[in-house]
Amino acid sequence: MSTLDATRAELGLVVLYLNKAEARDKICRAIQYGSKFLSNGQPGTAQNVDKSTSLARKVFRLFKFVNDLHALISPTPQGTPLPLILLGKSKNALLSTFLFLDQIVWLGRSGIYKNKERAELIGRISLFCWMGSSICTTLSELGEIGRLSGSMKKLEKDLKGSDKYENEQYRAKLKKSNERTLSLIKASIDIVVAAGLLQLSPKKITPRVTGAFGFTSSLISCYQLLPSPAAKSKAA
């Protein structure tokens, strides 16, 4: 492959990535929380970037609540334990509510919705919904990782005497386990971010701490949205 072909393929991947509205939202999120970390809640350029990026992100999320509403009423995979089903549905319900209420917050900050006090109250309720969905995600991922770990140990016994990493089924389960572990870490971080935005512990979770955790969570999200190997080979 020539240098021009390689460059074209790499640019194709960048275009593929940036064409995702979710990817652009997470890049803006990284800018938002990076600015929050730099400003540490103090007036200035960094705080202005934080506020303007936060407002812009709300436009990206318009009507996004429909996604989780659809997931809420969709059937779950057979064999899923009832506690995990309830956690998953609770997460969908809370996240859908957060995204819906966030639109009212955007209307308030844009000056369309005039009741400022009610808009601020709705904003706090929406953040509590987001925190609740992150807690549900954390518990759900812990349960799913436990299920995967059990099935992997069973498969290891069946593959005794052979290299488990050469088994396609084992590799697929290991990949899924790694993905869920990353989602668990992200959800746990988001709980801290939500607590910081709600100022539940302002002395410990300062704007700088909130910014650092939010920036880390955003980077994880950006990584999770990277094109799959199949998409990479197609771009090449």
Side-chain angles (χ1 to χ4, degrees):
M1 183 185 289
S2 66
T3 304
L4 181 60
D5 290 335
T7 304
R8 189 183 296 116
E10 288 172 3
L11 285 175
L13 285 173
V14 173
V15 170
L16 185 68
Y17 185 73
L18 294 178
N19 275 343
K20 298 178 181 178
E22 187 75 10
R24 293 197 301 272
D25 175 47
K26 298 311 177 187
I27 291 170
C28 288
R29 188 176 190 261
I31 295 170
Q32 174 193 347
Y33 283 104
S35 301
K36 187 179 289 293
F37 171 80
L38 293 173
S39 72
N40 194 26
Q42 300 302 313
T45 303
Q47 189 181 69
N48 292 337
V49 172
D50 172 16
K51 290 180 178 179
S52 60
T53 311
S54 174
L55 191 61
R57 287 187 60 229
K58 295 185 188 304
V59 180
F60 277 119
R61 299 199 297 260
L62 285 175
F63 303 109
K64 192 181 173 184
F65 71 92
V66 176
N67 294 357
D68 281 278
L69 189 60
H70 179 263
L72 178 63
I73 61 176
S74 297
T76 52
Q78 287 187 348
T80 306
L82 182 59
L84 292 183
I85 292 175
L86 293 175
L87 282 170
K89 296 301 182 184
S90 298
K91 181 203 81 170
N92 295 139
L94 288 165
L95 193 54
S96 182
T97 304
F98 158 69
L99 292 167
F100 176 77
L101 294 178
D102 202 47
Q103 295 182 153
I104 301 174
V105 175
W106 171 71
L107 291 172
R109 292 184 184 176
S110 301
I112 299 171
Y113 183 68
K114 301 299 182 181
N115 194 325
K116 187 177 179 182
E117 289 184 3
R118 185 166 293 179
E120 288 178 358
L121 175 62
I122 290 172
R124 283 190 65 81
I125 294 171
S126 72
L127 286 173
F128 273 113
C129 288
W130 180 47
M131 176 186 273
S133 73
S134 297
I135 292 171
C136 289
T137 302
T138 300
L139 296 174
S140 177
E141 293 298 348
L142 279 171
E144 292 290 357
I145 290 169
R147 290 178 70 205
L148 274 169
S149 177
S151 63
M152 286 170 70
K153 286 179 180 178
K154 186 179 178 182
L155 189 58
E156 282 179 29
K157 289 180 180 179
D158 295 338
L159 295 171
K160 199 171 183 180
S162 61
D163 188 356
K164 59 186 178 184
Y165 295 107
E166 290 183 0
N167 183 272
E168 188 176 345
Q169 188 180 0
Y170 184 86
R171 289 201 309 270
K173 287 181 180 292
L174 181 61
K175 182 184 176 184
K176 195 69 179 175
S177 179
N178 291 337
E179 289 172 352
R180 289 198 174 278
T181 301
L182 192 60
S183 295
L184 170 64
I185 293 169
K186 180 188 176 301
S188 302
I189 291 172
D190 282 339
I191 294 171
V192 180
V193 176
L197 294 175
L198 286 164
Q199 296 185 328
L200 298 181
S201 181
K203 291 183 179 180
K204 292 182 179 179
I205 310 176
T206 62
R208 178 152 287 170
V209 172
T210 304
F213 274 74
F215 183 74
T216 304
S217 171
S218 303
L219 292 183
I220 294 173
S221 295
C222 289
Y223 172 77
Q224 290 174 322
L225 290 167
L226 287 173
S228 63
K232 289 181 181 179
S233 59
K234 190 179 290 185

